Amino acid sequence: MATRPSRPAQPPGAGPRRGAPPGTGTFQPYTYENHRRTATKDETLTITLGDADQKLDTWLAVYDAEGNELDKTDDASEDTRNSEISGLEVKAGETITIEASTYYTIDSGDY
């Protein structure tokens, strides 16, 4: 099994911006975004994060309702700095939290 990447530790005072809608936005230094989602049916998800110019080195992690990590990723492949989690199976009624950020928490920019 491949080893999943670890992100550098968050500095003191870093924390989430909750409630931001998924889609597009701007990361500020030392912040990350949490998006909660409850599945309405059994499904297999693909979650991507990045920017077309690959100026940001993005980071994704997914947690279940109890806060257990289900998956995490830095780069989707060796050819990109964008992140992708694919093949994530969720059951109807299951709630997940998607944590989105930059790999280096001091980075900022649009996604």
Side-chain angles (χ1 to χ4, degrees), residues 13-107:
R17 290 187 331 170
R18 290 187 168 85
T24 60
T26 301
F27 285 119
Q28 301 300 321
Y30 304 115
T31 63
Y32 54 96
E33 295 184 2
N34 286 340
H35 304 282
R36 291 186 63 135
R37 181 182 192 281
T38 301
T40 58
K41 61 182 180 177
D42 292 356
E43 56 189 329
T44 302
L45 302 176
T46 297
I47 304 164
T48 58
L49 176 66
D51 63 318
D53 298 331
Q54 297 188 42
K55 293 180 181 178
L56 289 176
D57 190 357
T58 58
W59 171 267
L60 281 172
V62 179
Y63 303 90
D64 66 15
E66 289 77 41
N68 299 306
E69 184 179 275
L70 301 176
D71 203 349
K72 65 182 175 184
T73 185
D74 178 20
D75 300 332
S77 71
E78 292 180 16
D79 300 330
T80 183
R81 296 173 66 183
N82 294 336
S83 302
E84 181 176 284
I85 293 174
S86 60
L88 181 68
E89 295 182 13
V90 294
K91 302 287 183 196
E94 183 178 1
T95 298
I96 60 170
T97 299
I98 303 165
E99 180 182 296
S101 182
T102 57
Y103 182 79
Y104 298 101
T105 57
I106 194 167
D107 288 348

